[in-house]
Amino acid sequence: MSKKKPLPVTSPSKDNLSVDVKMLTEVLNNVGTCIFTKDIHGCYTYVNQAVLDLFNINLTDIIGFDDSHFFDLALSQQLKENDRKVIKEAITVENEETNFIKSLQETRIYKTVKKPLFDDANNVIGICGVSTDITAEKKLQKIIKAQKKLLHTVLDNVDAYIYMKDNERTFKYVNSKVAELFGTSAENIIGKKDTEVLPLDVAEHFNQSDQKVFDTGEKQTIEETSADEQGNVRYYISTKIPYQHQGELPTLIGFSTDVSELYALKEEFRKQANTDSLTKLYNRRYFIDHAEREFHRAKRHLRILSLIAIDIDHFKDINDSYGHPIGDKVLMSVAQCLLPCLRQEDILARIGGEEFSILLPETTLQSAKVVAERIRLNQSNLIIKGEWQGEIKVTVSIGVTCIRFADDNFDDFFTRADRALYQAKDLGRDQVFCW
């Protein structure tokens, strides 16, 4: 049996190599980035079509020429430095290069990877490189960075607390006012849940309105409160809007404005609207509004209700003898003397001039008379002293009535108390008369 002869080893033909080189060249010429090789002296030994297009030249115009023909090397220091490192240190360099191109008379920025080329003895004989033009990208990044800085400047200086939270209660953004309110940095808040940053009760309070945004998918405007470290309650008007970014959890953007001062001012206005400025008791308007509601409630539910009318005796003589400042002092003293005689649910008001009224819910006529007699006695013991000679003794006349189911309206009730008061005056003052 004869042995088989080994198959001959064939080398690639010239034609095959030519086809391969042509295909590789075609591929490199269609890559949207600059590919090149240089010898150890920095002269180009190969460039693809992207390089030729960049310089607007033919292949014969670049092979054998160094970078000084195509770049302003005084303005392209990174290019020279990167080439030097690759050749001298035999290392790969990945870096950005800012190069001034002579033919374009403009600066371009490239993301460049340069590697050393070696001979068979492992000596560096040149470099190969791939450079991608990122000029437009860098310009866009610069614009985005500037816009981001501007946005942060605006958001950090707006007089509002601005934040973003996802539906898992994680903060995605806070401005500097929020960070200052929470007593930490923004970096220490972003990425954390509200329960990690805030006391649990506060976090739950804010989450109630947050959840409405996620449940409805609609903007919510609400009033919120929070206590500061000193226990002072702060008031906020918050607007929360849903925001959905593709591929991310549902998020809300919140804008909260501290309206504590406005709220306090509003409360002060409300108090002033309802309060007599001299005695600090309720004024006539508040008393009538409240008393009318109590009257209709008592009529509707068949409940008892009493009313006391009070007038300071001979108050005109006090004003004429001592002057209005002393008269004001008398009014304030009488008001303070009335307060200890009342329950929390009773309503005391200065109706006008030297007249006062007290509404007593769930109080019979007889019980109201007991209260009135206590008031009369306390006032008769009231002595007002001042810088003038002598002292002022104060007495009051008091009328008492209770609701009648025949009363058609509050005016019937109120007028009857007034008549009882004037009956007490007609009987000699310093006494109580029940109608």
Side-chain angles (χ1 to χ4, degrees):
M1 185 175 177
S2 61
K3 291 184 180 180
K4 288 185 178 180
K5 293 183 179 180
L7 295 174
V9 178
T10 59
S11 299
S13 68
K14 250 179 156 186
D15 291 339
N16 288 338
L17 285 175
S18 178
V19 170
D20 290 344
V21 170
K22 185 176 180 181
M23 288 179 60
L24 179 59
T25 301
E26 187 70 20
V27 170
L28 295 179
N29 282 336
N30 284 278
V31 173
T33 191
C34 295
I35 302 174
F36 55 88
T37 60
K38 301 178 186 177
D39 64 21
I40 199 167
H41 303 294
C43 295
Y44 287 97
T45 55
Y46 168 79
V47 295
N48 70 345
Q49 188 62 44
V51 177
L52 299 177
D53 293 342
L54 175 66
F55 297 145
N56 193 24
I57 57 177
N58 296 317
L59 187 62
T60 56
D61 298 324
I62 188 170
I63 300 301
F65 294 91
D66 63 23
D67 288 317
S68 64
H69 293 81
F70 313 106
F71 299 98
D72 186 332
L73 295 181
L75 302 175
S76 308
Q77 293 294 322
Q78 291 166 307
L79 185 154
K80 294 194 301 180
E81 178 61 23
N82 290 337
D83 285 7
R84 186 199 65 79
K85 280 189 175 182
V86 173
I87 293 172
K88 296 294 184 183
E89 301 177 26
I91 59 173
T92 298
V93 172
E94 296 184 29
N95 210 336
E96 288 184 5
E97 292 181 352
T98 302
N99 301 328
F100 187 87
I101 301 169
K102 289 182 176 181
S103 60
L104 300 176
Q105 285 296 295
E106 65 179 49
T107 299
R108 293 285 183 90
I109 303 172
Y110 294 89
K111 184 175 182 180
T112 297
V113 179
K114 295 180 176 179
K115 295 186 175 184
L117 295 174
F118 300 94
D119 61 12
D120 294 339
N122 209 31
N123 297 312
V124 177
I125 59 171
I127 64 174
C128 65
V130 178
S131 294
T132 304
D133 191 336
I134 58 171
T135 307
E137 179 184 341
K138 296 296 286 187
K139 285 181 179 179
L140 183 60
Q141 287 177 358
K142 188 176 181 181
I143 292 171
I144 292 173
K145 185 177 180 181
Q147 290 179 338
K148 187 176 180 180
K149 183 179 180 181
L150 176 61
L151 180 61
H152 277 290
T153 301
V154 171
L155 294 179
D156 285 340
N157 287 279
V158 169
D159 192 21
Y161 302 92
I162 304 174
Y163 48 91
M164 291 179 67
K165 291 166 69 176
D166 64 27
N167 64 349
E168 292 185 351
R169 304 175 66 168
T170 301
F171 283 103
K172 311 299 286 184
Y173 169 81
V174 296
N175 70 346
S176 60
K177 279 188 70 69
V178 174
E180 182 180 350
L181 180 67
F182 291 175
T184 185
S185 64
E187 292 76 14
N188 200 37
I189 298 172
I190 296 171
K192 291 185 178 179
K193 296 185 182 297
D194 53 12
T195 50
E196 298 178 85
V197 181
L198 298 169
L200 185 59
D201 57 336
V202 176
E204 292 300 330
H205 172 69
F206 289 133
N207 186 57
Q208 290 179 9
S209 55
D210 291 351
Q211 202 56 49
K212 288 182 181 179
V213 178
F214 295 122
D215 291 343
T216 64
E218 298 177 352
K219 179 174 77 172
Q220 302 289 325
T221 300
I222 63 279
E223 292 186 8
E224 295 178 309
T225 59
S226 178
D228 60 21
E229 293 180 353
Q230 288 73 40
N232 302 313
V233 177
R234 309 295 297 180
Y235 296 85
Y236 302 91
I237 296 293
S238 296
T239 298
K240 302 181 180 184
I241 58 176
Y243 175 78
Q244 180 72 63
H245 189 70
Q246 188 174 4
E248 295 185 0
L249 292 173
T251 303
L252 67 80
I253 303 175
F255 305 86
S256 297
T257 303
D258 190 335
V259 292
S260 301
E261 292 184 6
L262 184 62
Y263 186 89
L265 189 61
K266 179 182 174 182
E267 284 296 300
E268 183 61 28
F269 285 153
R270 184 192 63 79
K271 186 177 179 181
Q272 289 179 7
N274 297 329
T275 305
D276 174 58
S277 59
L278 178 65
T279 63
K280 306 308 177 186
L281 302 179
Y282 289 121
N283 59 19
R284 181 186 182 90
R285 184 176 71 174
Y286 178 86
F287 181 82
I288 297 299
D289 288 346
H290 188 86
E292 284 186 335
R293 289 196 298 271
E294 283 294 323
F295 173 83
H296 291 299
R297 186 183 69 84
K299 289 277 289 182
R300 184 167 58 253
H301 298 291
L302 303 179
R303 310 300 296 180
I304 197 68
L305 181 67
S306 291
L307 183 62
I308 295 176
I310 304 168
D311 187 89
I312 301 174
D313 295 331
H314 305 294
F315 183 72
K316 184 177 183 301
D317 294 340
I318 295 174
N319 269 340
D320 292 344
S321 300
Y322 298 98
H324 288 283
I326 302 305
D328 288 347
K329 185 172 183 180
V330 170
L331 287 169
M332 290 186 288
S333 298
V334 169
Q336 290 302 308
C337 192
L338 289 170
L339 291 172
C341 301
L342 305 181
R343 303 167 301 175
Q344 186 175 1
E345 60 267 31
D346 299 334
I347 303 297
L348 167 63
R350 181 188 176 195
I351 299 302
E354 67 274 23
E355 296 183 18
F356 301 84
S357 288
I358 305 172
L359 189 72
L360 300 96
E362 306 292 339
T363 305
T364 64
L365 182 65
Q366 187 59 36
S367 296
K369 182 180 179 182
V370 172
V371 174
E373 285 290 357
R374 188 185 310 126
I375 289 173
R376 186 195 65 78
L377 181 61
N378 285 353
Q379 296 292 342
S380 66
N381 292 326
L382 179 63
I383 298 175
I384 301 171
K385 297 180 180 180
E387 296 177 356
W388 65 91
Q389 295 293 326
E391 56 188 26
I392 300 174
K393 294 195 66 176
V394 177
T395 62
V396 295
S397 297
I398 303 175
V400 184
T401 191
C402 68
I403 194 171
R404 294 176 179 175
F405 297 113
D407 291 335
D408 290 328
N409 51 57
F410 175 73
D411 286 343
D412 295 341
F413 184 36
F414 190 70
T415 300
R416 192 164 57 251
D418 204 44
R419 289 175 180 171
L421 168 64
Y422 280 94
Q423 189 67 32
K425 283 182 173 292
D426 290 343
L427 292 174
R429 295 184 172 84
D430 190 21
Q431 55 186 287
V432 175
F433 185 86
C434 293
W435 195 299

